[in-house]
Amino acid sequence: MADWTDQLPEAARTYFEGKRLDEVECIISDLPGIARGKAVPASKFAKQSYFHLPDSIFYQTITGDWGEAAGEDGFIERDMILKPDFSTASAAPWTGDWTLQVIHDAFDRDGEPIPFSPRNVLKRVVKMYHDNGWEPIVAPEMEFFLVAPNVDPAQGIKPMMGRSGRPAAARQAYSMTAVDEFGPVIDDIYDFAEFQGFEIDGITQEGGAGQLEINLRHGDPVKLADEVFYFKRLIREAALRHNCFATFMAKPIEDEPGSAMHIHHSIIEKETGQNIFSGPQGGETDAFYHFIAGLQNHLPAGLAVMAPYVNSYRRYVKDHAAPINLEWARDNRTTGIRVPLSGPEARRVENRIAGMDCNPYLGIALSLACGYLGLTQQERPRRQFYGDAYEGDGDIPQVMGDALDLFDQATALHDVLGPEFARVYGIVKRAEYEEFLQVISPWEREHLLMNV
């Protein structure tokens, strides 16, 4: 690998030009989306074409425990072979030395992709589109909160102090003054993103106190998932420089809106380069309606992937900027599926269900998988919705246990995502849910202890 630096993206080559590279972080996403891996001296990295990690990193719950996901062979922690994808190489500009990050792909000893590695799951789904002559395009939107440091989990999360010395204010969506309150943090986010070669389409203030949204330019699903994976770490590091936390919890603060990862989709016909959602005269095609139907029909069974924690379900509350059903409409943000205003070439479908707490590889894979089933099975959607969708009934699971039950039965989704992934994911998430059920909350102590 003597010439491995020639494979680095331009942004990484520019950042390290004239510098002595000290360290390389070899990383991979686990099921929650946490970066796992090894940090090695650059001189050692130059001599290796792969490294090993145990497959047990995919069996861990968010608390660090294990579900019974290893299967019939028991928990023997087989070594995976992790190979670098140099197209993902990126600076880690917050570190004290000159450090490079490289995302790796996981394979078994026979060279087959590890089926429950989230990046491999997304690649599997994208390949199914390619096999049909389609090129899926996505554009994720990232919502998150900047909050005051919280070192005691027993205490509620509070908004951060702004530049003015006052706590961040709620109900100030799109306010430039509110954005200015976080100016120093945002400046570091922009700087880190530029060093890493990421293009931000815009940053806006959302409706919650200290809640921001970053829009990313549309593109290849794997590349965009890589960017969201990197961005979560980048934003956290920028916040820590300014005595605040960045959180991607779906619902971190009571009585405030939750944080979503809205996903915009369009599908390009590879042979012609045309958007299959638009016909020759610019009208909406059958494929457009099939894709919407796939989201409507299969998202309930896949919600456990897009809403992966008990906290995720606190976001789906009426009139709090999160959908409660899977109605679809044009330019209507109260529905779970929205068709934004656009010309025929840019016609797209927005999934507003996914939470920002989901693993970006898995959230995008699940959304594309639902659309794929709609396309290949030529499903038909419900009629377009008109009005305020919050006035209707909910049609998505309201608690994690119900979502997991639906996911376990969703064999069509399992076939697209991969049956082995579905098995491991279901076991790990069930273990997390059962662990949560052992916790007695402050609400229970306050209202039940002396009253029932």
Side-chain angles (χ1 to χ4, degrees):
M1 294 180 58
D3 60 347
W4 68 274
T5 55
D6 295 336
Q7 303 176 57
L8 299 183
E10 182 180 356
R13 292 200 306 271
T14 300
Y15 183 77
F16 291 105
E17 187 175 5
K19 310 294 192 306
R20 179 182 178 275
L21 180 62
D22 294 303
E23 189 174 72
V24 179
E25 295 179 347
C26 308
I27 58 176
I28 188 170
S29 167
D30 67 1
L31 289 187
I34 299 169
R36 306 281 183 183
K38 295 181 179 179
V40 300
S43 58
K44 180 179 179 180
F45 181 81
K47 299 173 184 176
Q48 67 182 37
S49 57
Y50 63 89
F51 77 101
H52 295 119
L53 274 185
D55 60 6
S56 59
I57 66 169
F58 297 119
Y59 305 152
Q60 283 186 280
T61 67
I62 191 67
T63 65
D65 289 331
W66 279 270
E68 298 298 325
E72 295 179 357
D73 295 335
F75 193 69
I76 60 178
E77 291 197 283
R78 289 186 178 88
D79 267 346
M80 303 180 294
I81 298 169
L82 271 65
K83 299 180 180 180
D85 180 346
F86 285 105
S87 70
T88 70
S90 169
W94 50 83
T95 59
D97 54 12
W98 297 97
T99 299
L100 184 73
Q101 306 172 86
V102 184
I103 294 172
H104 285 55
D105 285 314
F107 302 89
D108 63 21
R109 66 190 68 186
D110 297 321
E112 294 298 318
I114 298 294
F116 33 79
S117 169
R119 196 169 192 253
N120 287 342
V121 174
L122 178 54
K123 285 187 171 185
R124 173 190 172 98
V125 176
V126 170
K127 183 178 184 300
M128 289 184 172
Y129 275 85
H130 290 171
D131 290 345
N132 282 273
W134 300 321
E135 188 73 49
I137 304 296
V138 302
E141 300 173 355
M142 302 173 55
E143 296 177 349
F144 60 95
F145 279 83
L146 296 175
V147 301
N150 182 286
V151 296
D152 181 0
Q155 299 298 315
I157 296 173
K158 298 179 180 179
M160 69 167 284
M161 299 296 291
R163 190 181 59 170
S164 66
R166 302 175 65 186
R171 314 298 186 262
Q172 297 295 324
Y174 305 108
S175 164
M176 296 310 300
T177 300
V179 169
D180 289 343
E181 283 286 278
F182 319 121
V185 182
I186 291 174
D187 287 345
D188 276 351
I189 291 173
Y190 275 129
D191 288 345
F192 290 167
E194 182 178 357
F195 291 144
Q196 294 186 249
F198 303 148
E199 186 172 356
I200 295 175
D201 212 31
I203 294 182
T204 57
Q205 165 74 24
E206 279 294 318
Q211 188 182 32
L212 298 174
E213 176 180 287
I214 291 180
N215 298 330
L216 304 182
R217 288 186 60 81
H218 62 274
D220 172 76
V222 178
K223 180 178 183 294
L224 267 298
D226 288 339
E227 289 192 12
V228 176
F229 175 59
Y230 273 142
F231 256 109
K232 282 190 171 183
R233 189 178 185 193
L234 175 164
I235 293 167
R236 286 192 184 100
E237 292 291 343
L240 288 172
R241 285 192 167 194
H242 300 279
N243 193 37
C244 63
F245 287 178
T247 180
F248 302 94
M249 281 178 66
K251 186 80 166 182
I253 304 177
E254 296 177 12
D255 300 322
E256 295 288 351
S259 291
M261 186 181 75
H262 299 149
I263 308 170
H264 294 248
H265 316 72
S266 57
I267 313 296
I268 304 301
E269 190 176 60
K270 295 181 74 173
E271 186 174 333
T272 64
Q274 299 299 310
N275 184 342
I276 72 170
F277 292 164
S278 298
Q281 306 304 316
E284 294 160 346
T285 63
D286 286 343
F288 169 77
Y289 293 106
H290 295 330
F291 192 93
I292 291 173
L295 295 180
Q296 285 188 324
N297 294 338
H298 300 285
L299 274 177
L303 189 65
V305 177
M306 291 192 160
Y309 306 105
V310 287
N311 176 264
S312 309
Y313 297 83
R314 303 186 189 279
R315 179 176 149 254
Y316 304 118
V317 179
K318 286 186 178 184
D319 302 316
H320 269 67
I324 62 169
N325 56 45
L326 289 168
E327 302 293 352
W328 78 274
R330 294 174 176 85
D331 196 28
N332 184 338
R333 286 180 169 83
T334 69
T335 59
I337 302 167
R338 171 176 172 260
V339 179
L341 295 176
S342 68
E345 291 185 0
R347 181 168 283 124
R348 60 195 186 276
V349 177
E350 179 188 9
N351 174 353
R352 296 178 61 81
I353 294 291
M356 196 61 240
D357 54 345
C358 76
N359 180 309
Y361 299 105
L362 299 181
I364 293 172
L366 188 283
S367 197
L368 286 173
C370 294
Y372 176 84
L373 289 172
L375 288 167
T376 55
Q377 297 178 13
Q378 298 187 352
E379 297 173 357
R380 302 299 301 179
R382 302 197 290 265
R383 292 191 177 191
Q384 181 185 181
F385 183 86
Y386 295 92
D388 184 351
Y390 290 131
E391 295 178 356
D393 296 328
D395 57 8
I396 58 176
Q398 292 297 296
V399 294
M400 188 175 180
D402 291 347
L404 287 170
D405 290 342
L406 288 178
F407 180 74
D408 288 344
Q409 301 162 15
T411 54
L413 273 178
H414 296 179
D415 289 342
V416 180
L417 299 171
E420 182 64 4
F421 160 74
R423 182 188 71 82
V424 169
Y425 187 84
I427 291 173
V428 170
K429 289 299 166 182
R430 186 75 63 179
E432 287 180 356
Y433 182 57
E434 291 175 355
E435 185 176 352
F436 171 80
L437 292 178
Q438 304 304 312
V439 178
I440 308 302
S441 70
W443 185 94
E444 292 166 278
R445 288 191 290 271
E446 178 179 353
H447 297 289
L448 305 180
L449 182 67
M450 300 298 290
N451 293 331
V452 298

